[in-house]
């Protein structure tokens, strides 16, 4: 057969029949700043025009990277994971971790764009946190969770500002907030031990005095970002009592000037369901040199500012993953056809995606309210009611958005059919990475209890009701008024339950549904408020559609609680 003779199949078709077979166009991402259906109008409503204008170019640049170069690198980098080398060929202990190419790039971008530094940019006043987290929101989904060390870095800055010595502040803060990749440091947060991450008061790590400093002995069971230059950690000074009160917070630099590890070994990297690009290690502290931060007790309290910050990061990462999932799902629904039509034209597919959009809008508005309040607090422009709202919103936002993100991204996977289940689309990674959000920085149950059993719940609840009522007062469109009233009604019922003085066991058992009711009711009122604004400013009805759709999804999740009957089920 010569080169020009066409190959034929047994049926007689020419060999280009294979070229004629259908191949599906993959989902495409555009500029993630310009394509976001909510971001532009939310910016116009929330941030003064001059501040927004000063941010727009950089946000558009990050949006372009996130939907373009960084996203392509992320897909190409799919199989790379961090590698731990514990020994060299001659028996020298190394414990070196090499991270993925995308992580190396993400570190540079994070420093250059000031993903931590912007939050401390005093020139931005109370808008500093908003400016920072708009960048984080765009950057996160294309970073392979590089936001994990950034969150802890930011938390470390807040902690050191609150309790660090002058020396600690002067050494660490300029590095943690550097915009120069060569001098930028990240920080770890080593709290969880084998005894438990929720009940850290059981921590076993011991702190012994060594001259002017301290040495730490123990095992840290989950330490993400082991490649960081420093960490804040908890340990019990010798002689201190058991429990959280007996712990103290310590500042640790991980390597010395020669690059040698500071009295610790990296036992192994965790084999995880997701966040596989994040090097989460088990560490053994065997005389790690450390400096005390604050007093030699009450460490769980000293580290609280860290948690307030990382929970805010978690919430922003949750809405960012929801947005990324929907950006991909919406693109696919335009391209993919079934029964003669693009998926987006099929009523039930459209209904499914619309429900996810409404959840994402609600989660976004609540999260950026939390961010706004943090910015106000740090710039000193906050009143007592806002402060009380901020304290309650921190756990509520983290817990609800973590759960919303898992639900939304899981549904996104199904919206791709079988392709969503295949690794080389990159979609399973999105779901796996999202799944960590309800676990770390406090699980859903732990945060529900944190929100509802706190001593200042009364003022927090009053502030939450006040914010929701303000939303209701601001809406005039009759169906929005009805939806906002539905939400305020759910809040009133929740308040009655909370103030009914029920048995502690009953209160604890119902805490998750109660916390979620508060969160969902607030999201609905915020949606109504935003929807009214959109209609009043250009007649855009998308916000109205989101509020209406959200109002038809469950708001009041409270049910009767019967711990005794539940225990029968657990046998
Ligand atoms: C990928 C990854 C990275 C991590 N990185 C870090 C890190 O860098 N630094 C760090 O310090 N930690 C880190 N963690 C640990 C994480 O913070 C903990 O896993 C988490 O706090 C839960 O602690 P635990 O695993 O010990 O579970 P446990 O505390 O044992 O909890 C088990 C279950 O019991 C529930 N529970 C606990 N107490 C109550 C209660 N009172 N009422 C009802 N339910 C309750 C929890 O909700 C949970 O479902 C990481 C975890 C993961 C998965």
């Amino acid at each position: 057969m010569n080169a020009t003779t066409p190959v034929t199949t047994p049926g007689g078709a020419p060999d280009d029949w294979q070229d004629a077979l259908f191949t599906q166009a993959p989902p495409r991402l555009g500029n993630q700043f310009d394509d976001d259906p909510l971001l532009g109008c939310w910016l116009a409503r929330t941030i003064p025009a001059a501040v927004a204008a000063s941010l727009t170019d950089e946000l558009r640049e990050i949006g372009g990277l996130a939907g373009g170069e960084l996203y392509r690198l992320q897909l190409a980098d799919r199989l790379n994971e961090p590698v731990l080398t514990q020994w060299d060929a001659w028996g020298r202990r190394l414990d070196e971790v090499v991270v993925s190419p995308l992580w190396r790039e993400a570190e540079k971008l994070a420093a250059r764009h000031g993903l931590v530094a912007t939050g401390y940019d005093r020139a931005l006043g109370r808008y500093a946190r908003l400016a920072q987290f708009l960048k984080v929101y765009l950057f996160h989904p294309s970073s392979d969770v590089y936001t994990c060390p950034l969150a802890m870095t930011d938390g470390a800055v807040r902690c050191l500002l609150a309790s660090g010595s002058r020396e600690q502040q002067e050494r660490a803060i300029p590095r943690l907030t550097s915009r120069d990749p060569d001098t930028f440091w990240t920080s770890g947060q080593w709290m969880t031990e084998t005894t438990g991450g929720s009940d850290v008061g059981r921590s076993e790590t011991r702190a012994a005095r060594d001259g002017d400093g301290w040495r730490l002995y123990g095992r840290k069971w989950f330490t993400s970002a082991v490649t960081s230059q420093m960490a804040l950690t908890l340990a019990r000074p010798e002689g201190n009592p058991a429990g959280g009160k007996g712990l103290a917070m310590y500042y640790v630099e991980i390597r010395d000037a020669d690059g040698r590890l500071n009295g610790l070994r990296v036992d192994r990297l965790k084999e995880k369901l997701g966040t596989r690009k994040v090097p989460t290690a088990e560490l053994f502290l065997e005389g790690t040199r450390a400096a005390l931060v604050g007093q030699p007790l009450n460490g769980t309290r000293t580290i609280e500012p860290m948690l307030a910050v990382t929970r805010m990061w978690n919430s922003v990462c949750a809405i960012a993953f929801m947005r990324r999932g929907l950006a991909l799902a919406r693109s696919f629904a335009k391209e993919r056809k079934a029964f003669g039509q693009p998926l987006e034209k099929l009523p039930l597919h459209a209904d499914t995606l619309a429900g996810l959009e409404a959840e994402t809008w609600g989660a976004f508005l609540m999260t950026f309210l939390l961010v706004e309040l943090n910015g106000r607090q740090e710039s000193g422009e906050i009143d007592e009611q806002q402060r009380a709202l901020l304290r309650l919103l921190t756990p509520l936002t983290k817990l609800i958005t973590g759960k919303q993100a898992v639900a939304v991204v899981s549904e996104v996977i199904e919206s791709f059919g079988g392709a969503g289940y295949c690794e080389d689309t990159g979609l399973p990674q999105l779901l796996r990475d999202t799944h960590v959000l309800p676990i770390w920085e406090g699980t859903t149950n732990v945060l529900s209890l944190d929100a509802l059993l706190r001593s200042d719940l009364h003022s927090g609840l009053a502030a939450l009701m006040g914010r929701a009522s303000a939303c209701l007062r601001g809406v005039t469109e009759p169906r929005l008024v009805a939806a906002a009233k539905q939400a305020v009604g759910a809040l009133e019922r929740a308040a009655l339950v909370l103030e009914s003085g029920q048995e502690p066991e009953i209160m604890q058992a119902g805490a998750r549904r109660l916390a979620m009711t508060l969160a969902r009711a607030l999201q609905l009122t915020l949606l109504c408020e935003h929807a009214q604004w959109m209609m009043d400013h250009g007649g855009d009805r998308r916000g109205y559609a989101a509020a209406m759709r959200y109002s038809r999804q469950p708001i009041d999740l409270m049910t009767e609680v019967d711990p005794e009957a539940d225990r029968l089920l657990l046998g």
Side-chain angles (χ1 to χ4, degrees):
M1 186 164 45
N2 70 39
T4 55
T5 312
V7 180
T8 54
T9 62
D15 68 344
D16 56 3
W17 66 275
Q18 294 185 38
D19 296 336
L21 286 179
F22 176 75
T23 50
Q24 177 61 49
R28 274 188 284 265
L29 290 178
N31 184 305
Q32 294 300 282
F33 173 70
D34 291 321
D35 288 357
D36 194 294
L38 174 55
L39 197 49
C41 64
W42 177 85
L43 267 173
R45 178 167 79 85
T46 318
I47 299 191
V51 180
S54 72
L55 302 175
T56 303
D57 285 350
E58 193 175 14
L59 292 177
R60 184 162 285 125
E61 186 188 339
I62 299 174
L65 277 169
E69 193 183 322
L70 215 48
Y71 177 55
R72 284 192 290 279
L73 182 54
Q74 187 179 32
L75 290 176
D77 207 23
R78 191 174 58 82
L79 298 175
N80 289 317
E81 293 190 355
V83 176
L84 166 66
T85 305
Q86 287 173 310
W87 304 96
D88 77 2
W90 313 105
R92 196 165 61 99
R93 186 91 193 194
L94 297 175
D95 287 352
E96 271 172 12
V97 177
V98 175
V99 296
S100 66
L102 174 59
W103 258 51
R104 294 198 285 274
E105 185 59 26
E107 181 176 19
K108 289 186 208 137
L109 287 170
R112 276 194 211 115
H113 287 290
L115 292 191
V116 176
T118 308
Y120 298 90
D121 184 345
R122 288 186 179 196
L124 287 164
R126 71 182 165 96
Y127 300 104
R129 285 294 182 186
L130 286 173
Q132 173 195 14
F133 281 105
L134 287 166
K135 296 180 191 180
V136 173
Y137 170 70
L138 294 167
F139 172 79
H140 165 70
S142 296
S143 76
D144 278 347
V145 199
Y146 187 72
T147 39
C148 165
L150 295 178
M152 297 188 290
T153 302
D154 193 348
V157 176
R158 172 89 83 90
C159 262
L160 290 175
L161 283 172
S163 313
S165 66
R166 195 169 167 168
E167 190 189 345
Q168 288 161 355
Q169 290 180 349
E170 286 178 355
R171 176 152 174 83
I173 293 176
R175 293 173 166 89
L176 298 172
T177 56
S178 172
R179 290 171 185 260
D180 174 358
D182 292 334
T183 57
F184 179 52
W185 275 12
T186 57
S187 174
Q189 158 203 329
W190 305 342
M191 291 174 67
T192 307
E193 301 192 6
T194 48
T195 44
S198 308
D199 185 6
V200 284
R202 295 178 64 210
S203 294
E204 295 176 325
T205 299
R206 192 165 54 84
R209 280 201 182 274
D210 179 27
D212 289 343
W214 296 76
R215 288 197 182 259
L216 309 184
Y217 301 87
R219 184 159 54 160
K220 294 292 176 182
W221 194 232
F222 276 93
T223 63
S224 292
V226 68
T227 44
S228 292
Q229 288 78 5
M230 62 160 281
L232 294 181
T233 188
L234 295 177
R236 193 178 311 281
E238 282 174 337
N240 267 23
K245 270 195 153 188
L247 293 171
M249 187 166 93
Y250 290 89
Y251 167 98
V252 171
E253 288 189 13
I254 294 172
R255 291 180 185 270
D256 64 17
D258 299 326
R260 279 190 302 263
L261 279 170
N262 169 15
L264 59 92
R265 33 173 235 263
V266 182
D267 280 344
R268 63 173 180 147
L269 296 183
K270 296 278 193 195
E271 182 77 25
K272 295 173 289 176
L273 169 71
T275 67
R276 294 185 66 92
K277 312 301 174 110
V278 181
T280 305
E282 293 168 14
L283 295 184
F284 207 85
L285 313 186
E286 41 195 9
T288 308
R289 279 187 312 285
L292 183 68
V293 183
Q295 298 301 311
L297 75 175
N298 286 328
T300 43
R301 184 155 312 155
T302 320
I303 211 162
E304 266 173 21
M306 162 86 87
L307 295 177
V309 169
T310 54
R311 286 170 184 169
M312 172 165 58
W313 275 79
N314 204 87
S315 306
V316 174
C317 293
I319 57 170
F321 268 153
M322 291 159 88
R323 173 51 59 215
R324 169 57 53 88
L326 274 164
L328 292 167
R330 287 169 59 152
S331 161
F332 189 66
K334 285 191 196 315
E335 296 282 345
R336 179 76 173 168
K337 287 193 174 138
F339 304 100
Q341 295 198 71
L343 296 178
E344 67 175 6
K345 301 281 184 219
L346 299 172
L348 183 50
H349 197 81
D351 178 273
T352 308
L353 294 190
L356 305 184
E357 268 298 336
E359 287 293 316
T360 304
W361 283 51
F364 179 100
L365 294 174
M366 184 181 192
T367 299
F368 271 101
L369 171 60
L370 174 71
V371 173
E372 186 204 328
L373 291 172
N374 267 285
R376 282 180 175 278
Q377 172 174 263
E378 288 170 341
S379 63
E381 295 174 60
I382 192 164
D383 63 31
E384 269 318 301
Q385 198 175 4
Q386 289 164 331
R387 203 185 295 279
L389 181 60
L390 170 59
R391 283 196 296 267
L392 183 56
L393 275 197
T394 300
L396 285 185
T397 311
K398 193 283 185 183
L399 76 90
I400 193 75
T401 56
K403 284 300 196 195
Q404 286 176 303
V406 170
V408 165
V409 173
S410 171
E411 198 65 69
V412 160
I413 297 295
E414 186 176 337
S415 81
F416 282 87
Y421 207 68
C422 294
E423 292 290 350
D424 51 0
T425 61
L427 293 162
Q429 182 188 329
L430 181 62
L431 179 61
R432 286 198 301 265
D433 287 351
T434 304
H435 241 292
V436 83
L437 297 175
I439 297 174
W440 64 15
E441 312 307 344
T443 62
T444 311
N445 281 359
V446 165
L447 291 174
S448 300
L449 295 172
D450 180 53
L452 300 180
L453 302 182
R454 55 194 314 143
S455 56
D456 59 358
L457 175 65
H458 190 76
S459 57
L461 201 56
L464 186 70
M465 304 274 283
R467 184 69 181 84
S469 303
C471 292
L472 173 59
R473 283 195 299 278
V475 291
T476 52
E477 204 287 335
R479 291 193 67 193
L480 291 177
V481 172
K485 278 189 176 161
Q486 174 196 352
V488 170
L491 287 176
E492 284 166 353
R493 281 190 296 283
L496 281 179
V497 171
L498 281 166
E499 279 153 18
S500 62
Q502 288 178 4
E503 291 292 309
E505 192 181 7
I506 304 269
M507 287 306 293
Q508 281 204 32
R512 179 197 275 238
R513 289 189 291 274
L514 231 159
M516 288 190 168
T517 300
L518 296 181
R520 292 194 68 78
L522 180 67
Q523 289 191 0
L524 178 53
T525 58
L526 294 172
L527 277 164
C528 292
E529 179 187 59
H530 189 71
Q532 184 72 56
W533 186 91
M534 284 180 79
M535 290 201 303
D536 294 347
H537 294 79
D540 187 335
R541 290 180 70 82
R542 284 177 302 166
Y544 171 81
M548 286 300 105
R549 179 57 198 252
Y550 194 100
S551 72
R552 293 193 289 271
Q553 288 164 196
I555 304 297
D556 183 344
L557 304 176
M558 290 178 296
T559 60
E560 197 184 326
V561 181
D562 187 347
E564 251 176 62
D566 289 346
R567 260 197 286 277
L568 291 177
L569 290 174
L570 302 180

